[in-house]
């Protein structure tokens, strides 16, 4: 492993540049590129008088310390060389962070926009690079950069790598024109080992301190107290939390400080040796019983083994121990009655305590004793210590507080342990079907009516059928799919002939593995290729090899994996991740999100056991690609979890989702939903600890039901406030969503496929995260029709417009002279604004600034949660609830009524979404001054203050000219991405977080 890390190299292929600025006196640029990385510098050749140069040159840098790779950057500077003055002038630069580097298998060409080297520099254009990490020992490092002389450059193109075969599968598809660009690919190396990204991570263990809850006054609310958020003041690992700040009584000893400290007695049963023979046959089927008072745990047993190895850990809650003795007993499993082999006793008062980051306690050999305390044959290796949930043995341990109420077998113990899951990396697969030629129909004398069917796994799409009168058919249609790494399914393309109604014949098909499909990171065109269709009876997988010399039908296609999009697998309102698929495009994290899942209280019974209601609950939290699942607490309506998890935050306009479920594994049922909580990161102040009790609300056919409450501790820590503020000017989604957008119907269909893929992958984990859990966390039914939601969105619009209606009513009162003093003051203000129109805008901005400052005292002290009134769930009609929970398509009424009813629901769902979008825009306007996003309100108020000052001192005609000229600016000075003010507005939080 160390040798592989020492051989790591950074490969950089400088491909081309486009639309460079014109620098020399003749209006041309003689460009070259300088690469700087880890103290090493390399330079390409110079391309004279070419604003769109091609280099296709490869360089390899040595990575001196792979552990420092996340902190390193690759700088690519583009210069223009002036022959007359023998000097270079900058054309722009590109800076790529080390966290974006990927192994060669994930590498793809990407065109980076050139940035300014200085504030007043002029730069434009793009630089095409391909960047990857390799440990291939056969690759030699590039030669160091020579000293600068009068003519250090050559104009001959150099290529370090041969050109890839043209039949190796293509790139993009705005049209079917072949690209005239030359592309050189790094050929796959069979000795290339898999790169590991573990050197980006560092272990973090912690130890919380003391426990208990102290509720604080919840504050005013407009609906019953059972549905409000209550702020709490618990004593967590770092001290007592008061008003969002941790008041420490002593210096914290770890960072595991958002949960209550829970003490556990840990017993690690490692192995045994030299156990005696217990039956006539000379065999022994040993297993170990760990007994502390009324709590007992059992290891698995081994058949006919005198030296078994278990390596299992048992955890007993220290506060529940009612004895001073720990007994570890070895038994021989028997069909009639298990035989006693021996035991080891421990006095609980003599057991040592371990506090991370201390190293794990070393196990020891103990001689077995009989029940009288006499030594017997055999030894048992054990490790016994006191620890907390910060101990690394905690997640995989057998927990007495979770398992003891039921007799859980070791095989089922994994279904109740805490686990961390990572959802697979999702890709959009774009298949552009251009045309088919040389088709051979089964029936001679007729023109086939053909279409192309594309399939990946359970996803299947078709083109429109077209008549092939000259045995040639043309479509030029894009088909979009979702695929997950590692790619398990192949792309299957088949040309079908529609012979008659519901009757098709396959003229040919081809199977293309997705691993062989090229990846692209932007909207640059890629070449198409012709593939040979094979008969359905003898279909082989196309590995990109040269086709055999034989006649066959051909299909003209473009296929690629889209790495520039973010594959939406959640509702766009509650998305927890907005990064593109390709790691090369990821920006550095802006902060860290820490979540402490403390406990649940007053949960509703979900099942019956021994004649009483109970529940076996666990929590699931999702943010980005990381899912976490707490351990299951069995047979408890007030479980205590006290587990802490951490995520990296890349965008503040994202939502953390926490769900509570009842474990149905032990009764053979589905995991039942109890409720969930959503927390938008942008509504959290940096560095503050939010400790609240959230009501778990679920909408049922009988109405809204409170299922209990969930106690959470949340903290968002910002690593760079400048980057966080700068993020408000960036588009919400990656660049490809704006340069090559997908339709709404495409997005919804692909989102459903993405959820199915994620649910299928996570359900294959151990323990599985079941489909119903994934769908509930991803809001799979958020787009379904609901009369209640439609009314709720309508009243949201009404609430937004109520301010204008209120102003109209107030103005009517002024015109009616019901308050003469107010009316006279309005007349004076009106005369002043008419006489001095230049005061209108600064007065408006100053007024908004004062309103925002005034509203600061009324800002929310807790993250937003479900609001029954906004959700229109307080007094909803039972018939509307029955309609909302009716399946789609409907099962009620005759066929004709059902068809019309389903059509109405489909149209209504679209109108409902439109109404919600309109309401969200208005609510974002209100959020400017309401401090729901404190950083955004701070930025806006600062802008208002600066704008007021500038407008007071700037003549209005000058301002009007500047604004007019800016609006009518030349397209050359426009950018395809949304402007910064629009990006800022779209990042503001709406009240969608309150919706059930």
């Amino acid at each position: 492993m160390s040798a592989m890390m020492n051989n790591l190299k950074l490969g950089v292929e400088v491909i081309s540049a486009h639309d460079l600025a014109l620098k020399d006196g003749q209006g041309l640029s003689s460009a070259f590129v300088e690469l700087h990385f880890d103290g090493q510098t390399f330079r390409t050749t110079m391309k004279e008088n070419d604003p769109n140069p091609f280099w296709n040159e490869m360089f390899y840098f040595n990575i001196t310390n792979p552990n420092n790779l996340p902190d390193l950057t690759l700088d690519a500077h583009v210069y223009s060389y002036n022959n007359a003055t023998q000097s270079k002038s900058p054309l722009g630069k590109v800076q790529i962070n080390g966290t974006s580097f990927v192994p060669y298998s994930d590498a793809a060409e990407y065109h980076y926009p050139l940035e300014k080297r200085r504030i007043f520099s002029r730069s434009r254009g793009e630089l095409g690079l391909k960047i990857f990490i390799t440990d291939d020992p056969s690759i030699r490092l590039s030669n160091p950069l020579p000293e600068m002389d009068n003519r250090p450059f050559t104009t001959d193109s150099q290529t370090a790598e041969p050109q890839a075969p043209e039949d190796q599968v293509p790139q993009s598809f705005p049209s079917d024109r072949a690209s005239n660009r030359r592309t050189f690919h790094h050929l796959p190396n069979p000795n290339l080992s898999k790169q590991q990204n573990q050197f980006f991570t560092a272990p973090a263990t912690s130890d919380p301190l003391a426990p208990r809850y102290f509720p604080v006054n919840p504050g005013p609310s407009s609906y019953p107290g059972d549905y409000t958020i209550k702020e709490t003041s618990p004593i967590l690992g770092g001290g007592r939390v008061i008003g969002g700040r941790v008041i420490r009584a002593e210096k914290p000893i770890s960072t595991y400080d958002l949960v209550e400290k829970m003490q556990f007695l840990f017993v690690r049963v490692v192995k045994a040796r030299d156990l005696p023979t217990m039956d006539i046959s000379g065999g022994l089927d040993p297993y170990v019983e760990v007994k502390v008072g009324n709590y007992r745990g059992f290891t698995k047993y081994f058949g006919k083994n005198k030296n078994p190895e278990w390596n299992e850990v048992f955890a007993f809650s220290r506060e529940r121990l009612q004895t001073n003795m720990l007994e570890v007993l070895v038994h021989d499993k028997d069909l009639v009655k298990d035989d006693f082999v021996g035991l080891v006793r421990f006095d609980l008062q003599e057991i040592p305590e371990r506090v991370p980051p201390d190293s794990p306690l070393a196990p020891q050999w103990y001689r077995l004793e009989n029940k009288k305390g006499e030594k017997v044959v055999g030894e048992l290796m054990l490790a016994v210590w006191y620890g907390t949930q910060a101990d690394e043995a905690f997640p995989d341990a057998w927990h007495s507080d979770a398992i003891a109420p039921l007799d859980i077998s070791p095989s089922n113990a994994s279904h109740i342990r805490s686990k961390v899951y990572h959802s697979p990396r999702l890709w959009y697969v774009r298949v552009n079907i251009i045309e088919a030629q040389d088709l051979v129909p089964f029936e001679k004398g007729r023109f086939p009516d053909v279409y192309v069917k594309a399939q990946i796994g359970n996803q299947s799409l078709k083109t429109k059928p077209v008549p092939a009168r000259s045995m040639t058919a043309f479509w030029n249609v894009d088909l979009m799919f979702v695929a997950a790494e590692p790619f398990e399914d192949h792309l299957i393309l088949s040309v079908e002939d529609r012979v008659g109604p519901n009757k098709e014949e396959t003229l040919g098909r081809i199977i293309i593995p997705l691993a062989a499909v090229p990846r692209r990171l932007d909207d640059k065109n890629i070449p198409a290729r012709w593939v040979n269709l094979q008969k359905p009876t003898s279909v082989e997988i196309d590995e990109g090899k040269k086709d055999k010399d034989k006649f066959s039908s051909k299909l003209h296609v473009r296929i690629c994996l889209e790495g520039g999009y973010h594959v939406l697998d959640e509702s766009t309102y509650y998305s927890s991740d907005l990064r593109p698929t390709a790691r090369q495009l990821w920006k550095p994290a802006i902060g860290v999100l820490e979540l402490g899942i403390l406990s649940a209280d007053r949960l509703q019974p979900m099942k019956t056991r021994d004649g009483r209601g109970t529940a076996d609950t666990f929590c699931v939290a999702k943010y980005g690609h990381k899912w976490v699942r707490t351990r299951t607490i069995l047979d408890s309506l007030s479980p205590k979890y006290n587990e802490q998890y951490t995520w990296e935050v890349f965008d503040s306009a994202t939502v953390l989702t926490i769900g509570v479920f009842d474990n149905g594994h032990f009764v053979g049922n589905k995991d039942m939903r109890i409720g969930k909580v959503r927390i938008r990161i942008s509504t959290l102040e940096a560095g503050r600890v939010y400790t609240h009790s959230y009501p778990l609300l679920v909408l049922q056919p009988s109405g809204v039901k409170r299922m209990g409450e969930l106690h959470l501790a949340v903290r968002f820590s910002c690593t760079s406030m400048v980057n966080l503020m700068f993020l408000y000017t960036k588009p919400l989604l990656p660049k490809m969503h704006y340069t090559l957008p997908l339709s709404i119907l495409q997005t919804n269909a692909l989102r459903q496929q993405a959820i199915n893929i994620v649910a299928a992958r996570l359900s294959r984990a151990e323990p599985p995260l079941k489909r119903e859990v994934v769908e509930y966390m991803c809001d799979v039914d958020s787009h379904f029709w609901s009369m209640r939601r439609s009314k709720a969105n309508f009243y949201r619009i009404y609430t937004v417009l109520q301010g204008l209606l209120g102003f109209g009513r107030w103005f009517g009162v002024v015109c009616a002279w019901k308050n003469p003093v107010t009316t006279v003051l309005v007349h004076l203000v009106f005369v002043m604004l008419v006489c001095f129109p230049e005061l209108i805008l600064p007065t408006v901005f100053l007024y908004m600034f004062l309103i925002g400052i005034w509203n600061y005292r009324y800002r929310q002290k807790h993250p937003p949660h479900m609001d029954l009134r906004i959700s229109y769930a307080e007094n909803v009609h039972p018939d509307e609830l029955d309609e909302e929970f009716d399946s789609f398509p409907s099962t009620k009424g005759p066929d004709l009524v059902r068809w019309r009813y389903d059509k109405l629901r489909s149209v209504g769902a679209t109108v409902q979404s439109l109404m919600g979008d309109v309401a969200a825009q208005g609510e974002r306007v209100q959020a400017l001054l309401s401090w729901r996003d404190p950083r955004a309100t701070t930025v806006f108020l600062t802008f208002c203050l600066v704008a007021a000052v500038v407008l007071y001192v700037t003549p209005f005609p000058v301002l009007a000219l500047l604004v007019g000229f800016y609006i009518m600016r030349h397209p050359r000075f426009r950018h395809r991405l949304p402007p910064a003010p629009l990006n800022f507005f779209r990042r503001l939080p709406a009240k969608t977080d309150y919706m059930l």
Side-chain angles (χ1 to χ4, degrees):
M1 179 66 181
S2 60
M4 185 194 76
M5 299 292 282
N6 292 334
N7 290 329
L8 282 181
K9 306 176 187 67
L10 177 68
V12 181
E13 183 178 359
V14 182
I15 300 173
S16 62
H18 299 280
D19 196 25
L20 296 178
L22 307 178
K23 283 292 182 180
D24 71 13
Q26 299 177 355
L28 297 174
S29 294
S30 299
F32 66 94
V33 180
E34 276 189 6
L35 302 174
H36 303 270
F37 176 77
D38 199 6
Q40 306 161 65
T41 303
F42 300 122
R43 185 163 51 227
T44 67
T45 57
M46 184 181 67
K47 302 298 180 180
E48 292 186 352
N49 304 330
D50 188 357
N52 300 291
F54 285 83
W55 288 282
N56 294 309
E57 299 179 18
M58 179 67 72
F59 302 92
Y60 289 97
F61 294 86
N62 181 36
I63 302 177
T64 55
N65 187 355
N67 294 325
N68 295 335
L69 188 57
D71 300 325
L72 300 177
T73 58
L74 170 67
D75 296 323
H77 298 267
V78 183
Y79 294 101
S80 175
Y81 188 77
N82 192 314
N83 292 325
T85 61
Q86 297 183 356
S87 62
K88 61 180 183 179
S89 55
L91 299 180
K93 69 173 182 178
V94 172
Q95 189 176 67
I96 300 100
N97 192 274
T99 57
S100 301
F101 300 157
V102 297
Y104 173 73
S105 58
D106 289 343
E109 175 186 350
Y110 182 69
H111 290 260
Y112 297 88
L114 293 177
E115 302 176 358
K116 297 181 179 180
R117 299 181 72 250
R118 301 180 182 87
I119 298 178
F120 299 103
S121 300
R122 293 195 308 166
S123 63
R124 72 180 188 195
E126 297 176 334
L127 178 63
L129 300 174
K130 185 177 180 181
I131 307 170
F132 57 89
I133 298 174
T134 179
D135 66 343
D136 185 359
S138 64
I139 295 178
R140 294 185 177 181
L141 297 176
S142 301
N143 294 327
L145 183 67
E147 292 297 329
M148 194 73 146
D149 55 19
N150 293 340
R151 188 70 177 178
F153 309 110
T154 62
T155 57
D156 296 330
S157 176
Q158 300 178 5
T159 57
E161 297 299 330
Q163 187 171 2
E166 292 183 0
D167 58 12
Q168 193 183 353
V169 189
Q171 291 182 332
S172 166
F173 344 76
S175 68
D176 61 334
R177 293 175 298 176
S179 174
N180 59 357
R181 292 180 49 202
R182 297 174 294 159
T183 304
F184 289 78
H185 300 276
H186 191 292
L187 293 181
N189 189 342
N191 298 323
L192 184 66
S193 63
K194 238 181 181 178
Q195 301 299 321
Q196 298 183 1
N197 296 327
Q198 277 78 7
F199 51 82
F200 291 148
T201 61
T205 58
S206 47
D207 181 28
L209 296 178
R212 272 194 304 276
Y213 264 98
F214 296 90
V216 181
N217 293 333
S221 177
S222 58
Y223 43 79
D226 285 344
Y227 301 131
T228 58
I229 300 177
K230 299 180 178 64
E231 185 177 1
T232 59
S233 182
I235 299 179
L236 304 182
R240 185 188 297 277
V241 179
I242 300 178
R245 306 299 175 189
V246 180
I247 309 301
R248 292 185 172 91
E250 57 185 37
K251 185 177 180 180
I253 56 178
S254 71
T255 58
Y256 202 78
D257 58 350
L258 289 186
V259 292
E260 299 178 6
K261 179 181 178 182
M262 298 179 68
Q263 288 281 349
F264 291 92
L265 170 64
F266 289 98
V267 180
R268 181 184 295 275
V269 181
V270 184
K271 57 184 177 180
R273 66 183 179 187
D274 302 331
L275 296 179
T277 301
M278 300 301 296
D279 52 24
I280 300 176
S281 62
L284 179 69
D285 302 330
Y287 70 92
V288 174
E289 175 189 0
V290 182
K291 183 179 179 181
V292 184
N294 295 329
Y295 295 100
R296 298 185 303 171
F298 301 89
T299 67
K300 59 179 178 292
Y301 75 91
F302 288 90
K304 311 303 180 184
N305 193 335
K306 295 184 178 181
N307 299 287
E309 293 188 12
W310 293 281
N311 198 24
E312 296 184 22
V313 181
F314 299 84
F316 300 88
S317 178
R318 189 170 185 176
E319 64 180 11
R320 297 187 181 183
L321 299 181
Q322 299 177 352
T323 181
N324 294 324
M325 190 65 63
L326 164 67
E327 295 181 338
V328 184
L329 303 94
V330 181
H331 297 280
D332 176 27
K333 191 170 184 61
D334 193 78
L335 295 177
V336 180
K337 183 179 180 181
D338 295 346
D339 296 327
F340 172 75
V341 178
L343 62 82
V344 178
R345 292 189 177 95
F346 295 89
D347 187 348
L348 295 183
Q349 297 180 356
E350 302 297 328
I351 294 176
E353 288 199 23
R354 175 180 175 260
V355 179
D358 291 348
S359 300
L361 190 66
Q364 301 180 33
W365 286 105
Y366 294 89
R367 286 286 302 273
L368 295 179
E369 303 175 351
N370 57 22
K371 296 182 179 179
K372 297 180 181 180
E374 302 170 346
K375 300 294 183 182
V376 296
V377 178
E379 290 182 295
L380 190 62
M381 179 179 281
L382 300 170
V384 184
W385 72 95
Y386 284 117
T388 66
Q389 66 268 48
D391 201 295
E392 63 269 12
F394 178 81
D396 296 325
W398 182 99
H399 289 275
S400 63
D401 61 339
I403 302 176
L406 301 178
D407 186 11
I408 301 300
S409 64
S411 61
N412 287 328
S414 63
H415 290 269
I416 61 175
R417 290 173 178 159
S418 58
K419 292 293 179 182
V420 176
Y421 306 83
H422 284 273
S423 57
R425 186 156 61 140
L426 301 177
W427 293 79
Y428 282 145
V429 182
R430 188 186 294 270
V431 181
N432 181 226
I433 309 296
I434 301 174
E435 59 179 325
Q437 291 184 0
D438 301 330
L439 299 176
V440 181
F442 287 92
E443 297 181 13
K444 296 183 178 180
R446 62 175 291 269
F447 296 114
D449 194 17
V450 296
Y451 64 89
V452 178
K453 177 182 178 183
Q455 184 175 356
I456 299 179
N458 296 327
Q459 308 171 64
S460 179
L461 294 175
K462 302 177 182 179
T463 65
K464 293 182 179 180
V466 297
R469 301 193 179 277
S470 59
M471 300 307 160
T472 300
F474 185 82
W475 293 277
N476 195 24
V477 175
D478 279 356
L479 304 178
M480 297 290 292
F481 299 88
V482 179
E485 284 187 315
F487 301 116
E488 299 177 349
D489 299 313
H490 300 311
L491 170 64
I492 304 175
L493 300 176
S494 61
V495 179
E496 308 283 341
D497 179 14
R498 191 171 61 178
V499 180
N502 300 324
K503 183 179 180 182
E504 291 85 15
E505 291 181 349
T506 302
L507 302 182
R509 60 190 305 205
I510 186 69
I511 300 177
I512 302 175
L514 292 179
V517 174
R519 311 176 183 200
R520 72 167 185 175
L521 309 183
D522 50 24
D523 58 346
K524 300 300 179 183
N525 218 354
I526 59 174
R529 73 161 181 167
W530 290 93
V531 294
N532 292 338
L533 298 177
Q534 303 169 7
K535 294 299 181 182
T537 55
S538 59
V539 177
E540 299 178 355
I541 296 179
D542 180 33
E543 299 284 357
K545 303 175 182 178
K546 292 185 178 180
D547 300 323
K548 299 178 180 179
D549 295 332
K550 63 179 182 179
F551 177 82
S552 64
S553 302
K554 295 181 180 294
L555 188 63
H556 197 196
V557 294
R558 289 189 181 95
I559 310 171
C560 82
L561 296 171
E562 297 280 11
Y565 289 96
H566 169 69
V567 181
L568 294 169
D569 59 343
E570 307 167 280
S571 172
T572 53
Y573 296 120
Y574 315 121
S575 182
S576 63
D577 187 19
L578 300 172
R579 293 173 293 173
T581 299
R583 286 184 58 92
Q584 297 96 311
L585 304 181
W586 291 5
K587 302 296 183 182
I590 61 171
V592 175
L593 176 65
E594 298 168 276
L595 171 67
I597 303 177
L598 303 179
S599 63
D601 194 18
R602 292 180 285 181
L603 296 177
Q604 294 295 320
M606 303 300 294
K607 60 186 67 168
T608 302
R609 184 177 292 133
D610 298 333
R612 58 184 176 83
T614 186
D616 307 326
T617 60
F618 64 93
C619 299
V620 174
K622 179 191 184 308
Y623 186 77
H625 293 168
K626 180 179 175 181
W627 299 62
V628 298
R629 169 180 178 153
T630 67
R631 69 190 190 281
T632 300
I633 305 298
L634 300 180
D635 200 23
S636 175
L637 297 179
S638 297
K640 290 185 178 181
Y641 306 101
N642 285 304
E643 298 184 24
Q644 183 171 339
Y645 300 95
T646 304
W647 291 267
E648 282 188 316
V649 177
F650 294 87
D651 199 313
S652 60
T654 48
V655 176
L656 168 68
T657 304
I658 307 102
V660 184
F661 301 88
D662 177 72
N663 196 327
H665 173 76
F666 305 103
V667 293
N669 296 330
K670 295 182 177 181
D671 294 339
M672 300 297 295
R673 61 182 68 173
I674 297 178
K676 64 183 171 185
V677 176
R678 303 189 196 102
I679 300 175
R680 185 172 292 272
I681 308 305
S682 64
T683 61
L684 303 178
E685 296 180 12
R688 177 177 177 179
V689 179
Y690 291 84
T691 54
H692 293 86
S693 173
Y694 296 83
L696 299 173
L697 307 177
V698 174
L699 189 65
Q700 298 179 347
S702 58
V704 176
K705 187 174 182 180
R706 181 179 178 276
M707 304 297 291
E709 56 187 34
L710 180 64
H711 299 263
L712 300 175
V714 184
R715 176 172 58 205
F716 169 61
S717 303
C718 180
T719 56
S720 175
M721 187 60 67
V722 175
N723 291 341
L724 177 57
M725 292 300 187
F726 183 68
L727 202 61
Y728 280 91
T729 65
K730 292 295 182 180
L732 192 64
L733 293 172
K735 178 181 177 181
M736 283 290 287
H737 287 270
Y738 305 100
T739 58
L740 200 61
L742 303 175
S743 66
I744 296 178
L745 294 178
Q746 267 185 320
T747 302
N748 291 336
L750 293 173
R751 174 176 173 257
Q752 187 64 44
Q753 295 297 337
I755 293 176
N756 291 336
I757 292 175
V758 172
R761 291 290 179 92
L762 294 182
S763 63
R764 291 160 51 183
E766 186 63 31
L769 205 58
K770 296 184 179 179
R771 173 175 291 273
E772 57 269 18
V773 174
V774 176
E775 291 181 347
Y776 183 58
M777 297 292 289
C778 293
D779 290 289
V780 69
D781 57 350
S782 62
H783 63 286
F784 288 168
W785 162 261
S786 167
M787 183 65 73
R788 176 190 62 84
R789 286 178 180 162
S790 298
K791 288 184 177 180
N793 288 335
F794 171 79
Y795 286 116
R796 287 168 61 196
I797 296 176
Y798 177 78
T799 303
V800 170
L801 298 178
Q802 203 168 17
L804 296 177
L805 299 178
F807 177 80
R809 288 192 294 268
W810 172 82
F811 190 72
V813 172
V814 170
C815 295
W817 286 80
K818 293 185 178 179
N819 190 335
V821 176
T822 302
T823 303
V824 170
L825 291 176
V826 169
H827 277 75
L828 293 176
V829 172
F830 176 72
V831 171
M832 182 185 64
L833 295 179
V834 169
C835 296
F836 304 98
E838 62 274 10
L839 298 180
I840 296 177
L841 284 178
T843 302
V844 170
F845 281 113
L846 182 60
Y847 183 62
M848 287 192 293
F849 172 78
L850 295 176
I851 292 178
I853 295 297
W854 179 261
N855 287 342
Y856 179 79
R857 58 186 298 184
Y858 303 110
R859 70 192 187 282
Q860 288 186 347
K861 301 299 191 300
H862 56 75
H865 190 52
M866 282 79 168
D867 190 309
L868 297 186
R869 180 165 297 175
I870 292 180
S871 302
Y872 198 72
E874 285 184 311
N875 301 311
V876 62
H877 196 276
D879 183 63
E880 294 178 359
L881 286 176
D882 181 68
E883 180 186 35
E884 182 169 348
F885 284 92
D886 185 18
S887 61
F888 184 80
S890 175
T891 57
K892 299 181 179 180
D895 292 342
L896 180 62
V897 175
R898 183 175 60 192
W899 178 80
R900 292 176 178 175
Y901 180 57
D902 294 340
K903 183 179 180 181
L904 175 64
R905 292 177 70 172
S906 299
V907 175
T910 305
V911 176
Q912 165 188 311
S913 300
L914 177 63
M915 295 168 64
D917 292 339
V918 174
Q921 307 313 315
E923 290 165 353
R924 288 191 175 103
V925 175
Q926 292 180 335
L928 286 171
L929 302 175
S930 63
W931 294 92
R932 290 219 307 277
D933 185 343
R935 287 170 289 274
T937 303
T938 302
V939 171
F940 182 72
L941 294 184
T942 304
F943 167 77
C944 290
L945 181 60
V946 172
V949 174
V950 171
L951 290 173
Y952 272 123
V953 300
T954 304
F956 182 79
V958 174
L959 180 65
L961 286 174
L962 293 176
V963 173
F965 285 144
Y966 177 79
I967 294 175
M968 297 181 289
R969 67 191 184 279
H970 193 273
R972 179 177 180 181
F973 300 102
R974 298 180 185 272
H975 202 275
R976 289 187 295 176
L977 297 181
L982 186 58
N983 296 330
F984 178 86
F985 180 78
R986 287 176 176 173
R987 289 179 174 276
L988 294 172
K991 293 186 178 180
T992 50
D993 303 326
Y994 295 81
M995 297 293 292
L996 280 175

